[in-house]
Amino acid sequence: MSNTRIAFIGAGNMAASLIGGLRAQGLDATQIRASDPGAETRSRVHAEHGIEVFEDNAQAVADADVIVLAVKPQVMKSVCQALQPSLHEGQLIVSIAAGITCASLQDWLGARPVVRCMPNTPALLRQGVSGLYATAQVSPTQRQQAQELLSAVGTALWLDQEQQLGAV
């Protein structure tokens, strides 16, 4: 992931854990951005991890290779629909939101490479196990990027069916 630029949409506990894991693995702060509506959250994440933070999601994703959707499921549709015009071809979308299917994400964002994953609570301590599921548009390189991203907080396992995410 040494040349990968990652943008987090939402900078809550799980996003901060992933950012911390990536930084601990040596990913430079200049390669990670985050957006969050809360000024206090943005300030905390910037202070803890030294990354650039934004209130505006479009600014965060401007030149990102990987976009991590780390918002609450109840706001995911509106966040995706607002974000969609700012996305460009080739960006990998990784969702860590519970209960939001790949089909829904592609409906809201367009037919893009999407990885849906379900990190568990121990990921907050970098001891987690995450199940990952990729859509057909995800390239082998993007699969590797997603696995490395989730491995920053524990173990990441590929699943062959999206329905298996609830079992992880």
Side-chain angles (χ1 to χ4, degrees):
M1 295 202 79
S2 61
N3 295 321
T4 304
R5 295 175 310 262
I6 304 169
F8 287 82
I9 305 302
N13 291 335
M14 193 58 75
S17 179
L18 284 163
I19 293 166
L22 291 167
R23 295 285 291 125
Q25 288 182 339
L27 195 64
D28 193 84
T30 61
Q31 294 175 251
I32 306 170
R33 295 177 164 186
S35 62
D36 197 274
E40 192 173 303
T41 300
R42 289 191 310 272
S43 180
R44 177 182 47 80
V45 168
H46 173 71
E48 287 178 10
H49 304 292
I51 67 167
E52 196 171 10
V53 293
F54 301 90
E55 184 174 2
D56 180 22
N57 293 340
Q59 287 181 288
V61 304
D63 58 359
D65 302 304
V66 177
I67 299 165
V68 181
L69 300 175
V71 299
K72 300 288 185 196
Q74 61 268 27
V75 300
M76 184 64 81
K77 181 178 182 178
S78 62
V79 167
C80 287
Q81 289 174 331
L83 187 62
Q84 196 273 341
S86 302
L87 301 177
H88 58 79
E89 193 173 321
Q91 290 176 308
L92 172 63
I93 307 297
V94 177
S95 171
I96 64 170
I100 305 295
T101 65
C102 289
S104 292
L105 291 166
Q106 289 187 318
D107 185 46
W108 303 329
L109 295 169
R112 302 183 179 284
V114 172
V115 170
R116 181 175 169 218
C117 58
M118 203 67 255
N120 60 5
T121 305
L124 297 171
L125 304 171
R126 298 188 195 136
Q127 301 289 320
V129 175
S130 301
L132 294 88
Y133 174 79
T135 61
Q137 295 87 352
V138 177
S139 72
T141 298
Q142 290 172 323
R143 286 177 69 94
Q144 182 66 30
Q145 289 171 327
Q147 187 162 9
E148 288 178 19
L149 170 72
L150 273 295
S151 294
V153 293
T155 302
L157 307 168
W158 285 102
L159 306 173
D160 58 0
Q161 295 179 345
E162 187 174 14
Q163 295 79 10
Q164 293 176 324
L165 284 174
V168 175

